[in-house]
Amino acid sequence: MATKFKRYVIRPIRDRIVYWFFILMYSTLYIMPRRPILWWHGKLSGMAFKIMGNIRKQAIQHLKYAYGNELSDTQCKQIARKMFDSLAKTLTDYAFFSHMHTRDEFSRYFKFEGEEHLQAAYKRGKGVLCMIPHTPGWEFSAIMPPIMGYKSLGVSSRLKNKKLNEFAVRMRESRGMRDVIREQCYDELVRSLKAGECLIIMIDQDSMRVRGEFVNFFGKPAYTPIGCARLAQETGAAVVPMATIRNDETNSYTFKIWPEIPYEDYGDTTQNYIRNTQKYNDIIEKIIRQNPEQWVWLHKRWNTTPELLAAYLEDRRATKAKKLLQQQNTTNNGQKL
């Protein structure tokens, strides 16, 4: 009873309070002067860096794990601090720029580099896998291809807060990006790529819920989604890396597009997935190394181990078997009646 009360009464009320608080903050930012607010949010990010000890330590530990002896403890701390600052200011700008929907409007604050790479791949008509890393401006990266005039779609997971999820989807779709829910969407992604569209895809986070392989990332095995390689093999779509980089000195951004990563066939499906995914990870690592303070080091990128994955898959198989048995028993009981 208590669980149902929490689910159907407490949670909806809490979600609405969170949603309207978010909308209030969002609307307030929109009507205030940008530069003073960015300065103030930079100060707040510094305070958050000092106060949020566990998150700060997590970011620094991830930097140390990735770079090893390449960086000192002081350098790791400095990079983590700058990442907090960049994240705070970029999320603030996402609110400030919420009224912008066209390339001309965004061009006041964004510089576009390397569009010829996206343009050449798009013209082939086999689709483009726009491979985007989680820099603080990942939401800007996701909407830039449609803003630039390329028909695009993106895949997202539903937020638990329904109203916030609807808001996020509206924001993306208002910029021309078709939003597709992750569950059971693979066939739709294939159709869209074969129709020549751009697909926004991110493979730089750890998740056992998607099919992946262990490939190197900063020299350490990292469980990495193989969806990008799989879609490239099945559709012939080009894989083109791109990212949004914040320019702190000018409070502006560069949306940079790198050359296409050629897909290579190694004569074996599994090897195709592993070796091409390794190439993608190498490019993402190169992008991060150029601006290490511009990747979200908060995520537990190397969390999954072969042992954890095996246990997770075994638990999932057991759960499916149990549900199947329950369905069979229900069917048999119904037949007896």
Side-chain angles (χ1 to χ4, degrees):
M1 184 68 181
T3 303
K4 288 186 177 180
F5 181 76
K6 183 178 180 181
R7 181 179 181 182
Y8 294 107
V9 179
I10 300 298
R11 187 179 296 171
I13 293 174
R14 181 197 64 193
D15 286 353
R16 282 192 172 274
I17 292 172
V18 170
Y19 169 74
W20 285 111
F21 177 77
F22 175 82
I23 292 299
L24 176 63
M25 294 294 292
Y26 201 84
S27 302
T28 302
L29 280 177
Y30 176 65
I31 63 174
M32 298 181 75
R34 178 174 175 252
R35 284 186 176 275
I37 293 300
L38 287 177
W39 176 85
W40 174 237
H41 282 190
K43 293 296 182 182
L44 288 178
S45 73
M47 292 163 49
F49 186 72
K50 293 178 180 178
I51 296 170
M52 302 170 71
N54 289 336
I55 296 177
R56 179 185 70 245
K57 290 176 183 177
Q58 187 168 281
I60 293 172
Q61 285 172 356
H62 293 161
L63 277 157
K64 288 181 179 179
Y65 184 76
Y67 281 92
N69 295 327
E70 294 180 52
L71 296 176
S72 66
D73 290 354
T74 300
Q75 287 174 313
C76 288
K77 186 176 180 179
Q78 289 173 343
I79 291 171
R81 170 65 187 89
K82 289 180 180 178
M83 182 270 294
F84 265 66
D85 186 75
S86 184
L87 185 59
K89 290 179 178 179
T90 304
L91 291 177
T92 301
D93 271 337
Y94 198 71
F96 274 117
F97 300 162
S98 61
H99 63 291
M100 298 182 185
H101 299 91
T102 68
R103 180 168 181 162
D104 285 344
E105 289 173 321
F106 275 97
S107 292
R108 292 175 56 195
Y109 303 97
F110 278 75
K111 179 182 178 182
F112 300 88
E113 288 186 4
E115 185 179 357
E116 66 274 11
H117 305 304
L118 174 58
Q119 194 174 64
Y122 190 79
K123 283 183 177 179
R124 293 208 297 269
K126 293 185 176 182
V128 182
L129 289 153
C130 300
M131 191 177 70
I132 294 169
H134 280 86
T135 63
W138 77 84
E139 280 287 352
F140 283 132
S141 298
I143 62 173
M144 279 304 134
I147 283 172
M148 295 166 73
Y150 301 92
K151 192 173 183 181
S152 307
L153 73 155
V155 180
S156 65
S157 298
R158 288 189 181 93
L159 298 175
K160 290 183 179 179
N161 189 316
K162 185 178 178 182
K163 298 294 288 184
L164 276 181
N165 185 75
E166 291 173 353
F167 176 81
V169 171
R170 280 200 308 272
M171 286 294 291
R172 296 177 191 132
E173 292 188 339
S174 70
R175 274 68 177 268
M177 188 185 84
R178 182 161 57 92
D179 193 87
V180 178
I181 298 301
R182 186 178 301 280
E183 290 79 13
Q184 306 296 321
C185 69
Y186 187 79
D187 289 343
E188 183 173 356
L189 302 186
V190 170
R191 286 194 297 271
S192 297
L193 287 169
K194 288 185 175 180
E197 296 184 39
C198 289
L199 169 62
I200 311 303
I201 191 164
M202 302 179 181
I203 66 168
D204 62 334
Q205 288 196 341
D206 182 310
S207 175
M208 291 187 289
R209 292 179 296 174
V210 298
R211 186 180 173 188
E213 293 284 351
F214 288 95
V215 296
N216 286 337
F217 190 57
F218 281 84
K220 285 87 174 172
Y223 189 66
T224 305
I226 60 168
C228 191
R230 184 183 175 193
L231 286 165
Q233 176 174 278
E234 187 163 339
T235 66
V239 178
V240 180
M242 52 193 72
T244 296
I245 307 299
R246 178 177 174 80
N247 307 310
D248 289 326
E249 301 81 7
T250 57
N251 280 324
S252 63
Y253 298 86
T254 298
F255 182 61
K256 188 170 181 178
I257 304 170
W258 283 266
E260 175 186 347
I261 307 172
Y263 181 86
E264 293 187 46
D265 190 339
Y266 296 94
D268 175 82
T269 298
T270 301
Q271 284 301 308
N272 285 346
Y273 294 162
I274 293 174
R275 295 174 75 170
N276 280 288
T277 300
Q278 181 64 70
K279 288 169 59 179
Y280 306 154
N281 264 8
D282 291 344
I283 294 297
I284 292 173
E285 179 181 333
K286 183 178 179 181
I287 293 170
I288 295 169
R289 283 181 176 275
Q290 291 173 354
N291 299 278
E293 72 283 358
Q294 304 243 353
W295 193 60
V296 183
W297 292 97
L298 304 175
H299 179 71
K300 297 178 180 179
R301 182 64 186 90
W302 295 270
N303 188 57
T304 297
T305 63
E307 294 77 18
L308 280 175
L309 180 63
Y312 171 79
L313 294 176
E314 180 58 36
D315 182 66
R316 195 168 71 171
R317 281 192 290 267
T319 301
K320 286 184 177 180
K322 185 178 180 180
K323 287 183 178 179
L324 181 60
L325 182 61
Q326 289 174 342
Q327 290 173 354
Q328 291 175 341
N329 289 336
T330 301
T331 301
N332 291 337
N333 291 336
Q335 290 174 344
K336 289 178 182 178
L337 292 173

